[in-house]
Amino acid sequence: MERRTLLLCGLLALTGCASSTGSTRKPGVGSARAGDRIAGLADVPDGSGALVPVGADGQLLLVRSGSSVRAFNPACPHQGTIVNPPTAGVITCPTHRSTFDPSTGAVRSGPAEKGLAEVPVRVTGQDVVLA
Ligand code: FES
């Protein structure tokens, strides 16, 4: 391997391919398809949420209020850090502390300028599935 290639690989490793959760999964639905079960309703704490694996390679942030579940791509719109599930009514990015509304994904405070991207899901019985 050329020295130049080695330097590039090292730089990529240092600049954040890994998430704050240590997961190698990519934010989003990955290879999952509409209709795929992504979690049980019981896997998502009511009034809070959870990061869940999706398909073979994706991950989503699920937020639950009673029997209603919304899903968001957990990549912070600022620089891509995986955000934390909501606590005390707010989703927070651990890197630069942007905050987001857990019911809509809208940004509450920056530096992020955009909200979290919502992913359509539905609750079917006791399962959360991609819509
Ligand atoms: S990466 Fe989330 S606020 Fe900067």
Side-chain angles (χ1 to χ4, degrees):
M1 186 179 293
E2 283 184 75
R3 181 170 184 236
R4 184 181 199 178
T5 304
L6 275 171
L7 288 172
L8 180 59
C9 290
L11 182 61
L12 287 172
L14 289 172
T15 55
C17 290
S19 73
S20 63
T21 61
S23 172
T24 57
R25 290 178 171 272
K26 295 179 179 149
V29 299
S31 58
R33 299 284 179 253
D36 286 355
R37 179 190 185 277
I38 56 174
L41 191 58
D43 299 329
V44 187
D46 194 4
S48 181
L51 286 165
V52 297
V54 176
D57 52 356
Q59 65 176 324
L60 291 175
L61 173 63
L62 300 183
V63 177
R64 178 178 170 191
S65 178
S67 60
S68 174
V69 175
R70 299 184 82 156
F72 301 98
N73 183 318
C76 178
H78 182 229
Q79 291 183 355
T81 299
I82 302 301
V83 298
N84 293 324
T87 57
V90 67
I91 297 169
T92 303
C93 175
T95 302
H96 307 111
R97 313 303 294 173
S98 285
T99 60
F100 305 90
D101 186 321
S103 61
T104 64
V107 66
R108 284 186 178 167
S109 64
E113 296 179 349
K114 299 188 312 185
L116 301 171
E118 187 164 5
V119 175
V121 296
R122 67 177 187 273
V123 176
T124 302
Q126 293 301 306
D127 295 327
V128 182
V129 299
L130 287 177

